[in-house]
Amino acid sequence: MFDVLIIGGGVSGMSCALVLGSATNKSFAANKKIAIIAHQKSSSLQEALFNNAYGIPVGKLGSELLEESKEHLAKMYPKVFQIENEK
């Protein structure tokens, strides 16, 4: 059982997971079980190509950003459990 289960690993879901992950050391989030269903094949970001987004290198693919976000979440906030291959 999870206290928070985020459905979807697109932009919104990943942003939510990162914010909650950064709060796990706060009293209101301490000892909470947080997970994200990181299946993202239907994310509109999957097919995106960035050329003019602040802070994102020219030519960066949305699919690359999604993978990098999952790696960032795992590295920075390992308490957030990532559920893969679940739809």
Side-chain angles (χ1 to χ4, degrees):
M1 248 335 144
F2 295 102
D3 296 295
V4 177
L5 179 59
I6 302 160
I7 309 298
V11 175
S12 298
M14 190 57 65
S15 294
C16 184
L18 289 166
V19 168
L20 288 173
S22 70
T24 56
N25 62 343
K26 306 289 185 189
S27 60
F28 64 86
N31 302 316
K32 301 294 185 198
K33 291 184 179 180
I34 303 166
I36 180 170
I37 294 179
H39 180 77
Q40 59 207 23
K41 293 204 184 284
S42 63
S43 172
S44 58
L45 188 59
Q46 193 73 26
E47 301 298 322
L49 172 64
F50 292 90
N51 289 314
N52 298 307
Y54 179 76
I56 299 175
V58 172
K60 177 69 81 170
L61 298 174
S63 57
E64 294 173 325
L65 284 176
L66 290 168
E67 285 302 315
E68 290 169 6
S69 296
K70 288 171 37 178
E71 292 170 14
H72 177 78
L73 181 63
K75 180 179 178 184
M76 295 298 298
Y77 309 113
K79 291 182 181 178
V80 178
F81 184 70
Q82 294 186 50
I83 302 170
E84 296 287 342
N85 302 317
E86 184 66 43
K87 296 179 183 179

